[in-house]
């Protein structure tokens, strides 16, 4: 039985940031990661052309800035290098290939009792921890919707996390399901690689440029949210025109209010909208069923496809292993409390990076968690 002060579950940006903040206070911790590397989502499950959608000033982890000459919008490979440098700077040593099987709160001992599977050695290890930090990410498991007849589709079916580039699909009919940032950018990538590309857009979305979002995120510190939203919507209308005739409708709430209330982000256009307007990328509504290679849409239209890419997001898996977590997480493994009070549960339980607020939210969570653990330890020894 290993006794630790803090156990951090997950070595993505949230776990690494929490580890760095704890080390600033000389608080000992153990960090475990089920994959064989840190930040596996960024390293192995992100498409080639990905750049961070937000300007670099909103994407730093605590206590370490980007190099001065870094571009405003950081490419994937540079972000992974930044994380590797971060691990080295703070001497973070994750235990890889280590998955948490269960964690329960022991009321008598006043600590978390955690069962861990060491996959490299095929052994089970038991830990007790005074504090438990859930940093296993919102993007832990792929989410593919149940569509009648999907299993009859003879072509390639993949989740966006497996998508790298449209090179190998040139000349094929490809359907992208999902119109968030990944779906829209993958559709653009496919079209520029010579695929006959279609995208399913089911729900209303805000389409913005990355510069508008940067402006919005800078202005929210100085102006009311609804005023910022009105400015952004006016600017977006000037840039993109009326998109409703191309199958893209706008949500009732403005982009910044929608993000703060629901965590849903605006789509940052990389050129997709221009291709939709030219008819190069076709827009469809919801799918009703699939019959072999034919996809039938709710408007009754039937089209044949060779490949389907599901850019339908992820789900948190924390609920599967975390018992006694109901003070902090709901049935979907996401925080119950509204931002900014979402990061703390009862009995020394915390979560980092689950508030759907990107890397800026991760940095804030990590600092809050480390400060809170420091003050609890101080009170215990005081």
């Amino acid at each position: 039985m290993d006794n630790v002060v803090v156990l951090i579950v997950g070595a993505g940006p949230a776990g690494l940031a929490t580890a760095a903040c704890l080390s600033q206070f000389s608080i000992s911790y153990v960090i475990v990661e089920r994959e064989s590397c840190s930040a596996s989502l960024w390293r192995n499950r992100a498409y080639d052309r990905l750049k961070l959608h937000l300007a670099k000033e909103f994407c730093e982890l605590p206590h370490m800035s980007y190099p001065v000459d870094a571009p405003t919008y950081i490419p994937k490979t540079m972000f992974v290098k930044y994380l590797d440098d971060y691990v080295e700077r703070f001497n973070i040593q994750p235990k890889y290939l280590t998955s948490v099987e269960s964690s329960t709160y022991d009321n008598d001992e006043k600590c978390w009792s955690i069962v861990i599977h060491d996959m490299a050695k095929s052994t089970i290890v038991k830990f007790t921890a005074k504090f438990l930090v859930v940093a296993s990410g919102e993007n832990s498991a792929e989410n593919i919707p149940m569509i009648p007849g999907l299993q009859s589709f003879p072509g390639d079916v993949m989740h966006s996390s497996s998508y790298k580039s449209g090179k190998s699909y040139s000349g094929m009919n490809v359907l992208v399901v999902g119109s968030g940032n990944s779906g829209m950018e993958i559709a653009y990538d496919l079209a520029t690689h010579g695929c006959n590309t279609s995208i399913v857009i089911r729900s209303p979305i805000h389409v913005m440029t990355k510069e508008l979002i940067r402006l919005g995120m800078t202005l929210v510190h100085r102006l009311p949210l609804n005023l910022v939203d009105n400015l952004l919507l006016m600017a977006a209308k000037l840039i993109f025109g009326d998109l409703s005739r191309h199958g893209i409708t706008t949500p009732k709430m403005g982009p910044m209010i929608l993000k703060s209330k629901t965590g849903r982000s605006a789509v940052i256009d990389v050129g997709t909208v221009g291709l939709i307007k030219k008819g190069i990328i076709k827009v469809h509504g919801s799918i009703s069923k699939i019959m072999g290679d034919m996809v039938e849409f709710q408007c009754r239209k039937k089209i044949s496809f060779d490949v389907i890419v599901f850019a339908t997001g992820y789900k948190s898996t924390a609920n599967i292993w975390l018992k006694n977590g109901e003070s902090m997480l709901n049935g979907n493994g996401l925080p119950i409390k509204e931002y900014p009070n979402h990061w703390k549960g009862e009995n020394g339980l915390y979560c980092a990076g689950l508030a759907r607020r990107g890397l800026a939210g991760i940095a804030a969570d990590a600092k809050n968690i480390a400060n809170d653990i420091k003050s609890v330890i101080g009170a215990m020894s005081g």
Side-chain angles (χ1 to χ4, degrees), residues 13 184 190 212 273 316 356:
M184 294 289 261
L190 287 161
L212 278 180
V273 170
S316 160
R356 302 184 72 181

Side-chain angles (χ1 to χ4, degrees), residues 62-85:
H63 311 300
M64 187 173 123
S65 296
Y66 287 104
V68 180
D69 57 354
T72 306
Y73 297 92
I74 307 279
K76 172 179 106 165
T77 46
M78 187 182 277
F79 183 62
V80 168
K81 167 88 171 71
Y82 169 77
L83 292 176
D84 287 339
D85 292 346

Side-chain angles (χ1 to χ4, degrees), residues 52-63:
L52 296 187
H53 290 125
L54 299 182
K56 63 184 175 185
E57 64 263 32
F58 302 114
C59 297
E60 288 189 344
L61 296 186
H63 311 300

